[in-house]
């Protein structure tokens, strides 16, 4: 890469973004240089996507400013941002599956005659030209729902290209692309650079970043920890800035011995919609009092594994055992009855019923234990909820308030409380620290430790490297649906975990899943 | 309401809880206002005879609205109740008059209790069909119950070729006399249908407030996915609410044909809309998860008293329709205001506690 001075096209200064319960961006400075690839990297929840949403006009800053050509600009909505030449390829696909490729590419910017009649032929021609540029033969008339995920991502990229953006944000554009498709995308990016477009590139694949990046900015917990030109940057430098030297407070409190095996799954597989296995022959076991962390990148199949355990996929294959006995129960209620409890990844849509009171949310899974005859004993319910609120130190004004009035951390504790009230033997926690601030995180982690010491087996999923390393007694790494590594929590090194999580993603090794080294 | 741990909101913001209380009681206040108004405006409004007549009218709508409330709390809708009313009336009339022709020169006649049970079973069956369409075949509740609305109405018309079954006095020999008592009889000076309403209303309120089933109904409407992941058997809950709604509609069918001592196949047309209106007026949220049986019954009374009172005042029925519409809209607007205020108060309490 050349060291030629690239002009700064957009800069963000002292950006702060506060959500109820979380401080997502803390005094972040960020520059987008034109004609260059500006890489943004950080763990999940570090604030990358929030920063991009601010630049694209999806979210507004709580404080701080955005400058273009030295002048202050504000983007109250995506339209204004687009008018300033900013295009974005979102991480989640924002396509309309019920419409054609051409319709999607020109959505809300339809080419029209006299402002009314859609110039369908022009749209089709331009869509076809874009596809040619991206070296794909996707028909402009194809329905988006008929496309593979990778092809949908191409359409999403075409949509951004069609805007002729001066600044193009790509949030994990390669997460669903094959190696060959990634090469094509990189050629397109090189071409855009030559045209003077400033590209912001977000990815978890560090080698990829080093290969195409010109500048790099690292975020951690909402703050910028490093920003420089890509020259001389290597993976260890990035990892160091992503994770930091000073560790968060994860101190192991109670040393205790593990009990017998409480949970085991054997040969769990789940077919995805595309015919690829989302969960691929996974077997693992968990002992009482043990905390096992499952690490992996997005789409590694971790959440899907939990969903299989909680009977959400009737078509999954394989066997589960709780305390050595086979798990035959076909539904969630039966599995909760056998001592399994899930804390879902998406608190809002899967964990809580926002409009119901805190009390009713917490007792929802364990109502059976308050029933006398057919009668629900409200007094007993209230007493039990009160006890759990105190145990978990949930800060509430009244347990009759709707759960939506709580901060993220307290909401998460309510979900944990709901799971614990079923007196589980095994706790499945999917991203237990997502979307909650550091203080609440520490409390959740302390709770996990305490529960393990009390003999609960905990299986938790995380994308946070530091979290998995400091919390787990044992670490399992998943990639592309299968287990690619298993490590002892005390002796493992970061590089081993990162390497295992990338198996199957490396450009050359598309064939077969290599099982990584095991030194449990 | 009990409060756990730590702080209560400080006394400075005492105005808001007061307003909130008034808003929560709004349907009740509206009922009292409507009563007070008609006591002055309509002659004979305050007579006992009028109360008995009015409460009979209200009861019919209230039965349907109770069933409807459960359905709406789960996030669904049941458009078929009016047709079930018609169909069940015809079933009862048919059985009393004709019995079942066994095709070998004999007809099978039932006694009055069997007829009532069969009719109730028909209502529950139609509800079960709604439930199966919605849970197993994934038909949207609106469409599924719109379909059964037509089918049930068509069957009611077919049962008599569109004619009325008149004079349902029954036959001493078959033990099918006394059908009229359901609609016209009274006990301790209160009509039988009101006693029935009290029984059904208490049972429904008990289910809603004091049983796991009731909790599950609210949970399904509040967030179906989260409810399922918490171990709630979502499909069973939905089956129950539609069957219960069908059951309530069957009661109405029986009561109306008993009151008239005749059954007409067009009975119950547009009743479903009144039931929805009563539920909404009583604070049931169309987006699911929120609603009270008590509120619904009061809502049914507001609508019933309003229309009867306007009739007694001699207001044109066209104006009555306009006024009913305005009251419903006003109720929902106030409801939204209450929701916003309630959320704000909860957040303030939380901020004070944290």
């Amino acid at each position: 890469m050349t060291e030629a001075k690239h002009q700064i096209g957009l800069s963000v200064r002292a950006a702060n973004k506060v959500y109820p319960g979380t401080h997502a961006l803390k005094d972040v400075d960020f520059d987008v240089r034109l004609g260059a690839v500006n890489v943004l990297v950080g763990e999940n929840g570090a604030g990358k996507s929030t920063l991009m949403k601010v630049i694209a006009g999806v979210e507004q800053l709580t404080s701080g400013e955005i400058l273009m050509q030295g002048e202050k600009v504000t983007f109250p909505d995506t339209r204004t941002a687009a008018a300033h030449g900013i295009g974005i390829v979102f991480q989640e696909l924002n396509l309309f599956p019920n419409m054609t490729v051409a319709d999607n590419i020109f959505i809300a910017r339809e080419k029209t005659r006299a402002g009314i009649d859609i110039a369908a032929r022009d749209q089709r021609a331009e869509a076809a030209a874009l596809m040619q540029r991206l070296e794909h033969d996707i028909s402009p008339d194809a329905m988006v729902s008929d496309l593979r995920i990778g092809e949908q991502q191409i359409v999403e990229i075409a949509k951004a290209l069609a805007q002729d953006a001066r600044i193009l944000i790509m949030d994990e554009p390669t997460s669903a692309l094959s190696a060959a498709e990634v090469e094509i995308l990189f050629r397109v990016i090189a071409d855009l650079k030559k045209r003077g477009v400033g590209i912001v590139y977000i990815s978890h694949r560090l080698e990829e970043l080093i290969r195409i990046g010109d500048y790099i900015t690292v975020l951690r917990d909402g703050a910028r920890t490093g920003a420089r030109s890509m020259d001389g940057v290597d993976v260890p430098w990035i990892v160091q800035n992503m994770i930091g030297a000073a560790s968060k407070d994860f101190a192991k409190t109670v040393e205790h011995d593990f009990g017998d095996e409480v949970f085991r799954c054997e040969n769990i597989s789940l077919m995805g919609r595309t015919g690829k296995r989302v969960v691929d022959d996974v077997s693992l076991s968990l002992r009482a009092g043990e905390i096992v962390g499952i690490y992996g990148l997005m789409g590694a199949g971790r959440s899907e594994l939990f969903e299989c355990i909680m009977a959400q996929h009737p078509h999954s294959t394989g066997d589960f055992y709780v305390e050595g006995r086979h798990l035959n129960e076909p539904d969630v209620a039966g599995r909760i009855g056998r001592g399994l409890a899930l804390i879902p990844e998406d608190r809002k849509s899967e964990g809580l019923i926002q409009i119901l009171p805190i009390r009713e949310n917490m007792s929802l899974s364990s109502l059976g234990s308050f029933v006398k005859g057919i009668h629900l004993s409200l007094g007993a319910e209230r007493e039990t909820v009160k006890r759990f609120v105190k145990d978990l130190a949930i800060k509430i004004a009244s347990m009759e308030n709707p759960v939506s009035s709580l901060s993220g951390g307290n909401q998460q504790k309510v979900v944990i409380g709901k799971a614990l009230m079923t007196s589980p033997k095994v706790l499945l926690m999917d991203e237990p620290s997502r979307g909650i601030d550091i203080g609440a995180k520490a409390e959740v982690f302390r709770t996990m430790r305490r529960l393990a010491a009390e003999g609960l087996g905990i299986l938790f999923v995380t994308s946070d490297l530091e979290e998995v390393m400091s919390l787990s007694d044992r670490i399992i790494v998943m990639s592309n649906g299968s287990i690619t590594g298993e490590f002892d929590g005390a002796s493992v090194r970061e590089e081993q975990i990162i390497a295992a999580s990338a198996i199957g993603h490396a450009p050359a090794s598309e064939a077969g899943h290599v099982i990584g080294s095991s030194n449990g | 309401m009990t409060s756990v741990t730590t702080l209560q909101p400080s006394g400075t913001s005492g105005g808001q809880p007061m307003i909130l209380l008034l808003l929560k009681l709004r349907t009740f206040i509206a009922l009292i206002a409507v009563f007070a108004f008609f006591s002055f405006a309509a002659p004979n409004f305050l007579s006992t005879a009028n109360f008995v007549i009015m409460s009979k009218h209200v009861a019919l709508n209230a039965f349907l609205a109770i069933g409807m409330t459960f359905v709406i709390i789960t996030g669904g809708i049941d458009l078929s109740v009016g047709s079930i009313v018609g169909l069940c009336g015809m079933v009862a009339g048919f059985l009393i008059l004709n019995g079942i022709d066994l095709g070998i020169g004999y007809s099978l006649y039932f006694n009055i209790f069997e007829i009532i049970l069969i009719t109730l079973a028909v209502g529950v069956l139609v509800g079960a069909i709604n439930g199966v369409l919605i849970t197993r075949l994934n038909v949207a509740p609106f469409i599924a119950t719109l379909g059964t609305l037509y089918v049930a109405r068509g069957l009611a018309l077919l049962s008599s070729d569109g004619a009325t079954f008149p004079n349902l006095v029954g036959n001493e020999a078959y033990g099918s006399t006394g059908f009229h008592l359901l609609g016209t009889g009274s006990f301790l000076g209160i009509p039988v249908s009101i006693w029935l309403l009290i029984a059904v209303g208490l049972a429904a309120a008990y289910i809603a407030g004091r049983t796991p089933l009731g909790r599950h109904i609210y949970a399904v409407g509040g967030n179906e996915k989260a409810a399922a992941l918490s171990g709630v058997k979502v499909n069973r809950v939905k089956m129950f609410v539609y069957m219960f709604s069908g059951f309530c509609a069957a009661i109405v069918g029986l009561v109306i044909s008993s009151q008239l001592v005749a059954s007409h196949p067009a009975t119950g047309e547009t009743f479903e809309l009144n039931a929805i209106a009563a539920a909404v007026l009583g604070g049931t949220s169309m987006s699911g998860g929120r609603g009270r049986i008590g509120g619904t019954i009061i809502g049914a009374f507001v609508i019933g008293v309003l229309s009867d009172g306007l009739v007694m005042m001699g207001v044109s029925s066209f104006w009555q329709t306009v006024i009913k519409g305005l009251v419903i809209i006003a109720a929902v607007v106030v409801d939204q205001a209450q929701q916003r205020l309630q959320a704000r108060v909860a957040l303030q309490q939380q901020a004070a506690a944290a």
Side-chain angles (χ1 to χ4, degrees):
Chain A
M1 298 295 145
T2 53
E3 241 317 286
K5 268 279 177 232
H6 297 287
Q7 192 196 343
I8 293 178
L10 178 146
S11 37
V12 177
R13 288 287 168 264
N16 278 285
K17 176 73 191 173
V18 183
Y19 293 107
T22 39
H23 198 156
L25 292 177
K26 296 168 193 157
D27 280 328
V28 172
D29 293 344
F30 181 60
D31 292 326
V32 182
R33 289 167 194 270
L34 298 179
V37 175
N38 306 266
V39 160
L40 188 59
V41 64
E43 294 184 284
N44 284 344
K48 303 178 306 260
S49 292
T50 309
L51 183 57
M52 290 309 104
K53 282 178 180 164
V54 165
I55 294 177
V58 180
E59 302 268 4
Q60 276 67 51
L61 284 176
T62 313
S63 71
E65 54 188 13
I66 304 173
L67 304 166
M68 286 184 91
Q69 271 98 45
E71 275 175 53
K72 195 180 165 190
V73 287
T74 48
F75 301 144
D77 50 38
T78 47
R79 222 164 231 285
T80 322
H84 281 82
I86 293 165
I88 184 164
V89 180
F90 283 105
Q91 185 178 358
E92 322 85 61
L93 297 171
N94 280 305
L95 297 175
F96 303 93
N98 55 337
M99 296 167 86
T100 67
V101 169
D103 287 343
N104 266 283
I105 290 176
F106 294 101
I107 194 74
R109 289 175 294 108
E110 291 82 1
K111 290 183 174 299
T112 53
R113 286 181 283 265
I116 310 166
D117 184 35
I118 291 184
R121 204 180 309 152
D122 293 358
Q123 288 197 1
R124 264 202 298 277
E126 196 164 324
L130 284 166
M131 286 306 154
Q132 207 164 18
R133 193 165 150 206
L134 289 164
E135 299 174 43
H136 272 77
D137 54 357
I138 302 169
S139 159
D141 294 318
M143 281 291 180
V144 165
S145 55
D146 295 338
L147 301 181
R148 288 185 299 110
I149 294 288
E151 290 175 324
Q152 291 186 14
Q153 208 154 32
I154 295 292
V155 174
E156 186 78 59
I157 292 166
K159 191 170 141 188
L161 289 181
Q163 295 177 28
D164 264 333
R166 295 244 303 138
I167 291 169
L168 184 59
I169 301 166
M170 297 183 165
D171 196 350
E172 302 228 31
T174 56
S175 58
L177 296 187
S178 71
E181 286 167 330
V182 170
E183 291 306 317
I184 295 170
L185 178 66
F186 284 2
R187 280 203 289 280
V188 173
I189 289 177
D191 175 47
L192 288 171
K193 262 169 67 174
K194 259 185 242 142
R195 297 178 190 210
V197 175
I199 293 159
V200 181
Y201 194 92
I202 300 176
S203 177
H204 278 295
R205 301 182 187 174
L206 304 185
E207 298 79 15
E208 201 175 288
L209 297 179
I210 292 174
R211 201 181 127 200
I212 68 155
D214 298 308
Y215 299 92
I216 182 166
T217 303
V218 188
L219 292 181
R220 180 171 77 232
D221 289 329
R224 193 179 76 170
T225 52
R228 58 182 282 190
S229 137
M230 193 56 101
D231 287 335
V233 167
D234 53 9
V235 171
W237 184 88
I238 300 178
V239 171
Q240 219 241 288
N241 280 282
M242 271 169 69
I243 294 170
S247 190
K248 294 169 206 156
D249 173 29
F250 289 124
K252 280 202 174 195
T253 46
V254 198
E255 281 296 332
H256 59 280
D257 293 326
F258 303 142
D260 295 331
E261 177 190 271
V262 278
F263 178 73
R264 175 158 48 100
C265 50
E266 283 180 359
N267 312 107
I268 306 305
S269 289
L270 173 69
M271 276 296 175
R273 277 197 309 176
T274 49
K276 203 179 136 235
R277 285 185 178 188
V278 189
V279 178
D280 194 358
D281 201 25
V282 168
S283 303
L284 56 85
S285 86
L286 177 72
R287 294 167 68 185
E290 188 181 28
I291 300 182
V292 173
I294 304 180
Y295 179 83
L297 300 176
M298 203 168 287
R302 301 161 300 165
S303 298
E304 288 80 2
L305 174 64
F306 275 12
E307 285 165 15
C308 289
I309 298 175
M310 281 323 258
Q312 293 302 292
H313 296 288
H315 305 299
S316 65
T317 56
D319 298 286
F320 302 106
Y321 298 87
V322 175
E323 292 183 324
R325 279 203 305 129
H326 192 262
L327 190 66
N328 301 315
E329 285 74 3
D331 56 14
V332 185
R335 298 202 173 177
I336 289 176
R338 284 290 299 276
L340 298 177
L342 171 69
I343 288 148
E345 176 181 12
D346 189 337
R347 202 163 42 236
K348 211 167 180 177
S349 75
E350 300 181 334
L352 294 169
I353 296 161
Q354 296 281 337
I355 59 171
L356 289 188
I358 294 156
R359 170 176 55 82
E360 294 188 9
N361 266 287
M362 283 184 71
S363 64
L364 186 58
S365 289
S366 50
L367 284 174
S369 56
F370 307 116
V371 173
K372 301 199 176 86
I374 55 161
H375 193 80
L376 199 57
S377 166
L378 297 184
E381 182 198 13
R382 207 172 289 130
E383 283 310 307
T384 313
V385 170
K386 204 183 213 167
R387 204 177 74 230
F388 276 89
V389 164
K390 200 164 156 251
D391 273 4
L392 293 168
I394 311 181
K395 292 188 199 78
I396 59 175
S398 156
M399 61 176 160
E400 302 303 325
N401 278 346
V403 79
S404 55
S405 64
L406 302 180
S407 69
N410 280 313
Q411 287 193 7
Q412 183 69 328
K413 287 189 201 165
V414 170
V415 182
I416 295 174
K418 176 171 76 174
L420 293 181
M421 281 176 70
T422 65
S423 9
K425 303 182 180 95
V426 179
L427 202 54
L428 308 166
M429 305 176 94
D430 198 348
E431 301 279 2
S433 67
R434 170 159 296 176
I436 62 181
D437 62 34
I438 298 243
K441 264 185 201 176
E443 274 185 72
V444 168
F445 296 154
R446 264 200 298 280
T447 307
M448 287 168 71
R449 286 247 160 260
R450 177 170 60 84
L451 293 170
E454 287 166 10
L456 210 63
I458 297 179
L459 201 54
F460 81 104
V461 156
T462 180
S463 312
D464 186 320
L465 200 51
E466 185 187 8
E467 197 172 302
V468 78
M469 292 192 52
S470 42
L471 264 176
S472 316
D473 297 315
R474 189 151 53 89
I475 296 170
I476 289 173
V477 181
M478 281 181 76
S479 176
N480 276 349
S482 42
I483 293 182
T484 52
E486 188 169 340
F487 308 96
D488 180 60
S491 61
V492 70
R493 284 174 299 115
E494 290 148 10
E495 299 80 59
Q496 291 176 292
I497 297 177
I498 290 178
S501 71
I503 291 174
H505 284 291
S509 67
E510 277 272 19
H513 302 295
V514 193
I515 301 295
S517 65
S518 164
N519 61 352
Chain B
M1 235 178 241
T2 40
S3 79
V4 218
T5 64
T6 62
L7 299 165
Q8 273 297 301
S10 55
T12 47
S13 60
Q16 276 187 339
M18 188 61 202
I19 298 169
L20 198 57
L21 186 66
L22 284 177
L23 283 174
K24 273 183 180 164
L25 292 174
R26 68 184 180 280
T27 325
F28 200 61
I29 294 169
L31 183 62
I32 293 169
V34 169
F35 254 100
F37 175 75
F38 287 122
S39 307
F40 287 107
N44 301 328
F45 183 83
L46 277 177
S47 68
T48 318
N50 184 45
F51 274 10
V52 170
I53 293 170
M54 270 198 322
S55 58
K56 277 182 168 179
H57 288 170
V58 169
L60 296 178
N61 191 15
F63 280 119
L64 297 180
I66 290 169
M68 188 68 78
T69 301
F70 277 158
V71 172
I72 295 179
I73 291 174
T74 63
I77 190 87
D78 188 353
L79 298 178
S80 65
V81 289
S83 295
I84 299 177
V85 169
L87 178 64
C88 287
M90 294 309 279
V91 167
F94 188 88
L95 291 177
I96 292 173
L97 278 190
N98 304 333
I100 292 177
D101 186 355
L102 294 176
I104 45 170
Y106 286 99
S107 283
L108 187 59
Y109 285 92
F110 298 96
N111 73 33
I112 194 67
F113 294 106
E114 288 163 350
I115 288 170
I116 288 175
L117 283 179
I118 292 170
T119 309
L120 292 175
V122 168
V124 172
L125 178 71
V126 179
I129 293 169
N130 282 332
V132 168
L133 288 172
I134 289 159
T135 57
R136 300 287 162 202
L137 305 177
N138 270 326
V139 183
F142 191 98
I143 304 299
T145 58
L146 183 66
T148 43
L149 176 153
Y150 285 118
V151 172
R153 182 65 67 198
L155 290 176
L157 289 160
L158 279 171
S159 71
S160 67
D161 243 349
T164 302
F165 289 130
N167 203 21
L168 303 177
V169 289
N171 187 324
E172 198 82 58
Y174 310 131
S176 58
T177 52
F179 183 55
H180 66 279
L181 286 176
L182 195 58
T184 56
S186 64
F187 177 68
L188 300 177
I190 294 173
V192 172
S193 58
I194 297 300
W195 285 114
L196 269 178
L197 176 64
I198 291 170
V200 171
L202 285 177
Y206 179 80
I207 289 172
R210 299 302 298 264
T211 65
L213 174 63
R215 278 300 164 75
H216 291 174
I217 289 172
Y218 284 95
V220 166
N223 184 346
E224 196 172 317
K225 181 96 205 261
L229 280 174
S230 301
V232 174
K233 288 171 177 149
V234 173
N235 283 354
R236 265 194 225 179
V237 170
K238 287 189 179 173
M239 284 299 292
F240 169 80
V241 296
Y242 288 98
M243 287 163 76
F244 185 74
S245 178
F247 173 79
C248 291
I251 294 178
V252 175
L254 283 168
V255 170
I256 291 186
S257 43
S258 162
Q259 279 172 354
L260 302 172
V261 205
S263 45
H264 181 68
T267 307
E269 274 177 359
T270 74
F271 277 22
E272 59 277 355
L273 299 182
N274 283 328
I276 295 169
V280 169
L281 208 55
T284 309
S285 159
M286 289 302 284
S287 50
R290 209 158 49 78
R292 294 266 172 262
I293 297 300
T296 292
I297 291 174
I298 295 174
F301 268 90
V302 171
I303 289 184
V305 170
L306 194 68
S307 52
D308 281 14
L310 290 172
V311 169
M312 292 175 76
M313 279 176 68
V315 176
S316 116
S317 70
F318 304 152
W319 272 115
Q320 286 178 35
T321 314
V322 172
I323 292 169
K324 197 155 88 181
L326 291 176
V327 168
I328 293 166
I329 292 171
V332 177
V333 171
V334 175
D335 185 57
Q336 288 303 317
Q338 182 202 330
Q339 290 313 313
R340 274 197 301 275
L341 187 62
Q342 211 163 340
R344 204 162 67 210
V345 169
L347 278 175
Q348 278 172 359
Q349 285 181 1
Q350 191 56 37

